[in-house]
Amino acid sequence: MKTTSPFLLLLIPLALLTQSCTKTLSSTPQTEYVMGTFCTVNLFENESPKLHTEIFDRLRELEDILSANKENTNVSEINTAAGIFPVHAEKETLEILKIALEFSTSTNGAFDPSIGPLVKTWGIGTNEAAVPSLEKITKALSLVDYTKIEISDNTIFLPQKGMQLDLGAIAKGYAADEIVKILTKHNIKRAIIDLGGNVFAHGKKTRTKPWTIGIRDPEVASGNPVLSVSIENKSVVTSGIYQRNFMENGKTYHHILDPKTGFPAENDLLAVTIISSSSILADALSTSAFLLGLEKGLHLIEATKNTEALFITKNKDVFVTRGLQGQLNIINTQYTIKN
Ligand code: AMP
Ligand code: MG
């Protein structure tokens, strides 16, 4: 059994390279391990230790509210009180959960923020990762049901003992948007935020040029970029099988779990990348589209305004939404754009 090591996680921030930003701009990237991943902030103007502190303090604050893997966070308190009593919800928890539930509805339950018991049963990304017995999977699945989550003005109640929220599919997107708010408040116009591969390219690279973001090899944890795209003021978020996984008996098991089967979602996809001006939407959509698979996933993104996506299949075919056609630059010619 092999699990994802912190070293592999260290490589995730390389997933989307800001390839050419160092040519004309200089900055001192700051990296810290927060929210279960390596977070890097690159400010290309008005850098200051004070601003870095403000940004990372906010990230730690969000971790202390949203983490399902740390004791005494708001989400952990809600989980511990499942089946017993409603818990006061922080505004961040409520805001994120409400958005998550919209995706549960639009994906017909594939995206489910009450996935916690199943995530814990698989333990993917921990040293205990292993294929659980069918009995354990069935038990965990009996506790996963987003329609049972009860939200009032400022409380959240999970009515069944053992139910658990897990906002891991959406929290980093929220966090990236929060950092952008801080940057805007300080009038910072150029920055790259990379929260474990959840990237926000804030502003433009120069007054006239957009950022170039590399999309890395979806099969390799430390992969080189295989495609790139030019963007400004947008988030680029990828969900894929390489991010957290383990191997058992020659088969790879990844961390995006299908609440219908209880197993990692199985389809033709290696990864889905979403480009959107909202990082929380990009994060929720990347996980959702991966769960839905190529056809339904593309349909979901095409139906979402101002949002583009690229889907990379196991055959190295790349399918893009209409707005992204002609916009991708191929770096690795093993990849073929199909539409
Ligand atoms: P992401 O990397 O954004 O695609 O999110 C993956 C993470 O979301 C996993 O590590 C779990 O914490 C959580 N997750 C796994 N399966 C689901 C699901 N079906 N619905 C919502 N969250 C999920
Ligand atoms: Mg996500």
Side-chain angles (χ1 to χ4, degrees):
M1 185 186 76
K2 187 174 158 290
T3 58
T4 309
S5 69
F7 180 63
L8 287 186
L9 290 178
L10 177 65
L11 298 170
I12 290 175
L14 297 177
L16 295 150
L17 295 173
T18 54
Q19 290 173 310
S20 48
C21 51
T22 47
K23 277 187 194 156
T24 50
L25 299 172
S26 69
S27 88
T28 317
Q30 302 288 310
T31 300
E32 289 189 31
Y33 191 81
V34 203
M35 299 184 82
T37 193
F38 286 91
C39 298
T40 300
V41 172
N42 245 305
L43 304 176
F44 293 99
E45 57 181 34
N46 301 343
E47 274 190 277
S48 76
K50 207 166 150 233
L51 185 51
H52 282 131
T53 304
E54 183 176 346
I55 290 169
F56 284 103
D57 280 354
R58 179 63 177 144
L59 288 177
R60 272 185 289 273
E61 187 177 43
L62 290 175
E63 176 176 9
D64 289 344
I65 295 171
L66 303 170
S67 174
N69 302 316
K70 227 174 150 175
E71 278 179 25
N72 301 323
T73 67
N74 191 219
V75 165
S76 292
E77 282 170 357
I78 293 164
N79 291 347
T80 310
I84 314 172
F85 52 81
V87 171
H88 169 79
E90 300 293 343
K91 74 172 186 354
E92 291 88 346
T93 317
L94 273 176
E95 201 179 322
I96 296 172
L97 183 60
K98 283 179 185 166
I99 294 175
L101 291 172
E102 287 173 21
F103 282 89
S104 300
T105 308
S106 63
T107 61
N108 205 10
F111 186 97
D112 192 326
S114 73
I115 198 84
L118 196 61
V119 172
K120 292 273 159 63
T121 301
W122 279 87
I124 297 173
T126 73
N127 290 330
E128 277 82 49
V131 180
S133 65
L134 283 181
E135 202 185 335
K136 280 190 179 159
I137 289 180
T138 309
K139 184 159 182 267
L141 278 181
S142 72
L143 297 166
V144 176
D145 184 350
Y146 72 95
T147 64
K148 289 188 180 152
I149 301 171
E150 293 175 21
I151 301 182
S152 81
D153 280 351
N154 55 7
T155 67
I156 296 173
F157 181 46
L158 305 176
Q160 221 174 320
K161 209 166 170 32
M163 280 183 83
Q164 291 179 55
L165 295 181
D166 180 321
L167 303 176
I170 185 169
K172 279 190 282 162
Y174 181 85
D177 289 336
E178 286 296 292
I179 297 180
V180 171
K181 279 189 203 162
I182 295 176
L183 298 178
T184 307
K185 184 179 85 185
H186 290 282
N187 205 20
I188 303 283
K189 297 200 175 67
R190 263 177 280 194
I192 298 282
I193 313 300
D194 185 344
L195 309 182
N198 191 316
V199 170
F200 203 108
H202 178 63
K204 293 185 194 183
K205 184 181 155 198
T206 65
R207 271 181 53 192
T208 51
K209 281 197 184 138
W211 300 103
T212 303
I213 302 291
I215 292 152
R216 76 167 205 203
D217 187 338
E219 287 184 299
V220 194
S222 56
N224 291 320
V226 296
L227 300 154
S228 71
V229 62
S230 293
I231 53 162
E232 54 189 65
N233 245 342
K234 291 234 161 37
S235 187
V236 182
V237 180
T238 298
S239 287
I241 64 175
Y242 61 88
Q243 285 164 326
R244 279 177 196 221
N245 60 46
F246 70 98
M247 263 184 104
E248 198 172 296
N249 297 327
K251 191 170 160 49
T252 302
Y253 296 89
H254 64 79
H255 68 143
I256 303 173
L257 303 170
D258 182 341
K260 294 207 168 61
T261 64
F263 278 77
E266 274 209 48
N267 55 43
D268 289 342
L269 297 174
L270 287 175
V272 178
T273 298
I274 307 289
I275 301 171
S276 162
S277 52
S278 156
S279 197
I280 190 169
L281 294 186
D283 198 3
L285 276 170
S286 68
T287 313
S288 296
F290 188 92
L291 281 155
L292 291 180
L294 177 60
E295 208 175 311
K296 286 188 186 160
L298 257 175
H299 195 73
L300 174 71
I301 312 297
E302 292 288 16
T304 310
K305 273 191 203 149
N306 302 324
T307 304
E308 305 301 338
L310 59 112
F311 292 69
I312 304 182
T313 70
K314 289 176 180 160
N315 294 334
K316 296 190 169 46
D317 291 335
V318 183
F319 292 86
V320 300
T321 46
R322 277 192 292 274
L324 207 56
Q325 283 168 18
Q327 306 289 314
L328 281 185
N329 175 34
I330 298 180
I331 298 170
N332 180 332
T333 51
Q334 289 178 347
Y335 289 79
T336 317
I337 296 173
K338 283 292 177 185
N339 52 356

